[in-house]
Amino acid sequence: MGRTSAKAETGRKALLRQSVLDAAAKLFAERGFAGTSFQDIADALNVGRTALYYYFKSKEEVLASLVEEVTVVSDRQSAMLSARTDDDPVEVLRSMVSGHVELLLSHALQFRVVDRTEVELPPDLRAVHERSKRAVLDHFTTQIARGIQQGVFRPVDARVAAFALIGMCSWTTWWFHEGGRKTAREVAGILADLAVHGLLRSDDQRKTSGDPGDLFRQLHENLDCLEILYKRREAGA
Amino acid sequence: MGRTSAKAETGRKALLRQSVLDAAAKLFAERGFAGTSFQDIADALNVGRTALYYYFKSKEEVLASLVEEVTVVSDRQSAMLSARTDDDPVEVLRSMVSGHVELLLSHALQFRVVDRTEVELPPDLRAVHERSKRAVLDHFTTQIARGIQQGVFRPVDARVAAFALIGMCSWTTWWFHEGGRKTAREVAGILADLAVHGLLRSDDQRKTSGDPGDLFRQLHENLDCLEILYKRREAGA
């Protein structure tokens, strides 16, 4: 087999594998994991069990791939973004929220299935799933805590805030409809904006405390500038 | 039967009815609605089917009561709070979010069951559930829109923001643990605070637009005051 056709073969295999995952996710969502057999997946794809066997050995293996595709990838993505510790925590958190929503909405059905099937996952797969979920929560918590430490975020409970943001993101897979009023990217932007604003200290708090003393100081500074300008002109005259 | 004992009887009946609901919710959560029989509920309570029959005619009727207890009550509560249109939309929204979280967390298991069993609900019950959920969303949307109109909230998409807040609230039933670091009331307060801050215009934006023109105007006003004071002293001298 030539190099090009080998590549095409790999691409074709990946594509077919993805159709198996999509069909299985649809069945699991409709009938539940327990209510779906390996044969049902083969039937939905109009292929024999043997053909399906080429990609997955069991429906448990299909479910494992679905978990990998959603929770594990979420963890990897938020870990990567969260590692940018040189950047402004505000912008890092913004991209973490919008990135998470975009990932969720590009695999909404899969996320819903994994979410619903959680209790039915085989123990080792459930452990992977729980570990990844916990890691995503940790990345969000760390980033919020960093913002608080730098004085750009209000001193909230970082853990509870992280849960709140993740809840806001996860819920989108249950209400978002492709082709609705807003695109997935727009929804991601709106949620990231709400998340960041919810945590930011107000400009007033960051620049001045907003009390009369600070306002007077500001006025004095402006007057000092005026005085300097005036004296310069006097001296020049 | 005397008045007092009739009252006690009603109280006892309500209490027993609640134990049926609690036991059923636990079973539905563990085995799913389809995987639970009317007999299972009776067994869990250590009573016969006939005794159970006194409170509920079928497991569908039990599920109907669970839906009533969570979604319908959520609707009623947020409708009541949202009707306070004379009050500051910021404070109304704050109490809507914290009230919603407190209600959810006082019935966390029931909420999770109804959430999970959504697709299995009989059509008429599902319609009630969907209508109530939609109504809660509408109350949140209306209140956010009112705040935008009054210039206290930033001009965001009120519908998407309402979904975001409800998602933040609903998710608590999946992560909150009684007896953990924070009480339900504390979590409710933190989430309400995040929600409100996420929507509020900053103080700067509310008072002035924060652009150089506004800052100059502010400085001019201060200088006008100084000038008036100066002239008064000159005239008096």
Side-chain angles (χ1 to χ4, degrees), chain A:
Chain A
M1 205 188 281
R3 203 159 165 193
T4 316
S5 60
K7 229 176 166 179
E9 175 63 17
T10 311
R12 203 179 65 91
K13 202 187 158 185
L15 213 67
L16 286 169
R17 193 175 171 280
Q18 192 56 50
S19 346
V20 177
L21 287 175
D22 291 345
K26 212 160 160 271
L27 287 171
F28 293 161
E30 285 165 10
R31 312 177 185 182
F33 180 66
T36 307
S37 69
F38 198 59
Q39 185 65 55
D40 291 337
I41 304 173
D43 290 348
L45 288 159
N46 237 337
V47 299
R49 286 170 62 98
T50 324
L52 191 56
Y53 207 70
Y54 182 63
Y55 299 99
F56 297 101
K57 298 291 168 248
S58 63
K59 68 169 183 170
E60 282 74 18
E61 223 183 274
V62 178
L63 189 58
S65 288
L66 287 177
V67 170
E68 160 78 24
E69 211 178 50
V70 292
T71 332
V72 178
V73 173
S74 286
D75 171 15
R76 211 173 298 148
Q77 178 177 285
S78 62
M80 225 172 60
L81 290 170
S82 182
R84 288 163 45 203
T85 47
D86 288 343
D87 295 350
D88 179 11
V90 179
E91 288 320 306
V92 173
L93 190 70
R94 187 188 290 279
S95 61
M96 283 174 74
V97 172
S98 67
H100 194 48
V101 173
E102 286 198 55
L103 178 66
L104 286 162
L105 292 183
S106 65
H107 295 77
L109 181 66
Q110 282 96 313
F111 266 100
R112 291 206 303 272
V113 167
V114 172
D115 193 29
R116 280 287 136 104
T117 330
E118 227 170 41
V119 287
E120 294 177 74
L121 293 179
D124 53 337
L125 191 53
R126 185 158 184 186
V128 171
H129 175 59
E130 292 294 339
R131 200 159 48 235
S132 298
K133 264 177 53 171
R134 178 67 43 183
V136 172
L137 179 68
D138 285 343
H139 299 315
F140 273 81
T141 307
T142 304
Q143 211 53 234
I144 294 168
R146 197 163 74 89
I148 295 170
Q149 221 168 17
Q150 293 191 14
V152 285
F153 289 154
R154 293 181 299 115
V156 299
D157 184 290
R159 196 71 166 178
V160 173
F163 269 125
L165 299 197
I166 288 172
M168 189 191 253
C169 296
S170 305
W171 208 248
T172 58
T173 60
W174 295 99
W175 61 262
F176 179 77
H177 293 288
E178 206 69 65
R181 273 189 320 117
K182 298 273 171 195
T183 65
R185 173 155 296 180
E186 283 169 336
V187 168
I190 295 171
L191 262 56
D193 190 56
L194 278 175
V196 163
H197 270 87
L199 289 164
L200 271 183
R201 301 182 68 159
S202 72
D203 289 345
D204 262 11
Q205 285 173 310
R206 269 178 295 168
K207 284 183 206 141
T208 69
S209 67
D211 71 15
D214 273 308
L215 294 171
F216 259 105
R217 192 159 53 244
Q218 230 170 358
L219 195 52
H220 273 299
E221 281 171 11
N222 287 324
L223 287 174
D224 284 347
C225 288
L226 275 172
E227 205 179 343
I228 289 165
L229 276 172
Y230 178 71
K231 281 186 180 158
R232 253 190 222 152
R233 280 180 72 175
E234 283 254 294

Side-chain angles (χ1 to χ4, degrees), chain B residues 61-187:
Chain B
E61 225 184 271
V62 177
L63 188 59
S65 288
L66 287 176
V67 170
E68 160 78 24
E69 211 178 50
V70 291
T71 333
V72 178
V73 173
S74 287
D75 171 15
R76 212 173 298 149
Q77 176 177 284
S78 63
M80 226 173 60
L81 290 170
S82 181
R84 290 162 43 201
T85 46
D86 288 343
D87 295 350
D88 178 11
V90 179
E91 288 320 306
V92 173
L93 190 71
R94 187 188 290 279
S95 60
M96 284 174 73
V97 172
S98 66
H100 193 47
V101 172
E102 286 198 55
L103 178 66
L104 287 162
L105 292 183
S106 65
H107 296 77
L109 181 66
Q110 282 94 312
F111 266 99
R112 291 206 302 272
V113 168
V114 172
D115 192 30
R116 279 288 136 102
T117 330
E118 228 171 40
V119 288
E120 294 178 75
L121 293 179
D124 53 337
L125 190 54
R126 185 159 183 183
V128 170
H129 175 60
E130 292 294 339
R131 202 158 48 236
S132 298
K133 263 176 55 170
R134 178 65 46 179
V136 171
L137 179 69
D138 286 343
H139 299 315
F140 274 82
T141 307
T142 304
Q143 211 51 234
I144 295 169
R146 197 163 74 89
I148 295 170
Q149 221 168 16
Q150 293 191 14
V152 286
F153 289 154
R154 295 180 298 114
V156 298
D157 185 290
R159 196 76 169 172
V160 173
F163 269 125
L165 300 197
I166 288 172
M168 189 192 253
C169 296
S170 305
W171 208 249
T172 57
T173 60
W174 293 100
W175 61 262
F176 179 77
H177 293 288
E178 206 70 62
R181 273 191 319 119
K182 298 273 170 196
T183 65
R185 173 154 297 180
E186 283 169 337
V187 168

